[in-house]
Amino acid sequence: HWKIDAKGLYYMGKHQFLENFKHWLHINGYENYKVSPTSVARETKKLDGITYVQLMKDKVRFRAFIITDKIALANFIKKY
C-alpha cells in the first residue's frame, strides 16, 4: 500500500494509513481501541523510521505518513 514519489520517498495517505492501522488493531484483538489520524500521528512520533508530514502532489497539499529510515523501521517491526 505504500506509494513512491519522484524522489524515491515511500509514503501513504493518512486515511489509508489509518485504515491499515485499524485492521492491524482488529487482527491483534484491539477492536475497542479508538483511533483518529491525529492520535495515530501522535503515536507514530514514538516510532523509529516513520513520520507524519504534509506533502504536495499535482499542486494539492495532503497529509501523509512517510518512511524516513527503512532500517530503523525494519528493526521496529521485528520487535513484534
Side-chain angles (χ1 to χ4, degrees):
H1 294 285
W2 291 95
K3 298 173 185 170
I4 189 165
D5 71 359
K7 297 178 186 174
L9 187 74
Y10 286 87
Y11 71 93
M12 184 182 295
K14 70 178 182 180
H15 296 294
Q16 187 177 16
F17 190 96
L18 182 62
E19 288 307 310
N20 281 289
F21 185 60
K22 286 180 180 177
H23 182 65
W24 182 87
L25 288 171
H26 179 73
I27 288 171
N28 289 282
Y30 299 103
E31 284 105 13
N32 296 324
Y33 190 82
K34 297 200 184 302
V35 292
S36 68
T38 305
S39 64
V40 173
R42 185 176 57 248
E43 289 302 310
T44 53
K45 288 180 182 176
K46 301 173 188 171
L47 300 183
D48 289 328
I50 293 182
T51 192
Y52 187 57
V53 297
Q54 183 170 295
L55 299 176
M56 183 177 282
K57 184 175 184 179
D58 300 326
K59 298 184 181 179
V60 176
R61 293 178 193 263
F62 66 99
R63 290 279 185 184
F65 290 86
I66 62 168
I67 297 176
T68 54
D69 186 337
K70 293 177 190 173
I71 294 171
L73 181 58
N75 289 334
F76 175 81
I77 291 169
K78 285 178 189 175
K79 292 189 232 175
Y80 290 91

